Amino acid sequence: MKDFFGSMTGRVFLVLLLGMIASAALTQWLSVGERTRSFERYRDFHAMERAEQLITTADALASESRPTYLRMAERGTIKLERMAEAPAATRAATAFSSALQQRLAKGVQLLPLAEQPAECAQPRQRSIFAPSQWGGACEAMYVTLRDGARLKLSILPPPEVPATALSEYVALLPFLLSVAALAYLVTRMAVRPLKRLAKAAKDLGNDINHPPVVLSGAAEIRQASAAFNAMQARIRQHIMQRTQMLAAITHDLQTPLTRLRLRLEKVRDDELQQRLIDDLSAMQQMVREGLDLARSMDASETMQALDLDSLLDSVCSDASDSGQPVELRGRANMALMGRPLDMRRCLVNLIDNAVKYGHYANVTVERMTGAARVIIRDGGPGIAKDQMARVFEPFYRIESSRSRESGGTGLGLTIARNIAEQHGATVALNNHPAGGLEVTLILPESYASRL
């Protein structure tokens, strides 16, 4: 759940859901308030009509018939009853009493009583959230008829039906479910194109020749997809041009270097001849590794299934046959989708680098959850932490135990990392606590499957 709400989908869904619920709650609150005020105004109008009828009828009846009528008028929320004595205190006329007084016959007097009915102060549960008092007319009035009879008119709130929390929640549940479904659909429609572009960007990082994104969806999404495809085409063209230029330069340099080596054979001074041949050999090595670097950026070779264990066994066996101290342990039991020559070059560079600068290479392969891990450990002094990132830069060499005197051009790790990234893998360096450098190559599940 935490991962869901941490994603773009979860955040958009949560914002939409909370926004819709807040808007619906505000609308419901305003609607209930307006409905309540309308009911109170209607109730006041009805109370005015009912009070006028009661008082007019009581005033028109003979004093002998009035008690029977009052027994009927004492019922309900608007009632008229006999009052034995004059009230002890009255108060100023209210809006309701003034309006009612104007509708009564001359000689009938109304005086609002100072003491209001107890029902006026009782809270009424209009909803499950907030109880409130009745906002309409609620008061008691002293009525003097034309014949001097004293009566009491009571205007009370209407009887209420308390709302239960269960009934309100049950009525609100379908609405919340509808809002949640709508928010999820809107979120999915909005985020799906982003996921498609994110996947396309990931595929582009793994394979520059990956098919372009299909143009579909809204106009803005199609426009973004078209821009992404155009960017992919430009990147592919730039990489191809750079690779071709580097390959052409390194290839063309081999011919004059070969001629130069032949001419060096005619140098009479043996010491000078050997120094010049050594320099020329270093230049030829740089040219060859430059060509390998150009090839490592070329993704035109066809992907095919490779047995990782067989590939490692072949590379380590070849290294051992050539006199290198290389030992292989463990099995991954998995197949890789990769380019055979490139993957072999990647492993050869990592092992050669360990033997050249660390005297030996212990290779361990193991199966992880969703990936395979290849660890190459050497017996060298390791690398300072601030230089671990820089050793992957082209032509960068450390001026310590891994120095120029040890040979090399500084392209081995660069080539290995380029090949690994094209196969969706990662290369990481770490100093082992017991000494030596560990190179960890991890191939994710998306590029591997169990045999």
Side-chain angles (χ1 to χ4, degrees), residues 68-128:
T68 303
Y69 172 73
L70 291 178
R71 284 196 294 271
M72 301 293 297
E74 289 176 356
R75 304 172 183 175
T77 57
I78 302 171
K79 53 187 178 180
L80 189 65
E81 54 189 334
R82 184 182 296 275
M83 195 169 183
E85 298 179 355
T90 59
R91 58 192 179 99
T94 62
F96 186 87
S97 63
S98 298
L100 181 58
Q101 180 67 68
Q102 294 178 3
R103 302 179 66 164
L104 297 176
K106 292 183 180 181
V108 178
Q109 296 182 353
L110 293 177
L111 291 174
L113 297 177
E115 183 180 358
Q116 290 187 334
E119 293 84 350
C120 298
Q122 293 179 356
R124 299 169 57 84
Q125 189 73 20
R126 295 179 185 171
S127 68
I128 63 174

Side-chain angles (χ1 to χ4, degrees), residues 357 395 397-409:
Y357 302 112
F395 303 106
R397 288 172 293 188
I398 301 175
E399 298 297 334
S400 59
S401 61
R402 299 171 181 265
S403 63
R404 298 180 187 272
E405 285 74 12
S406 300
T409 60

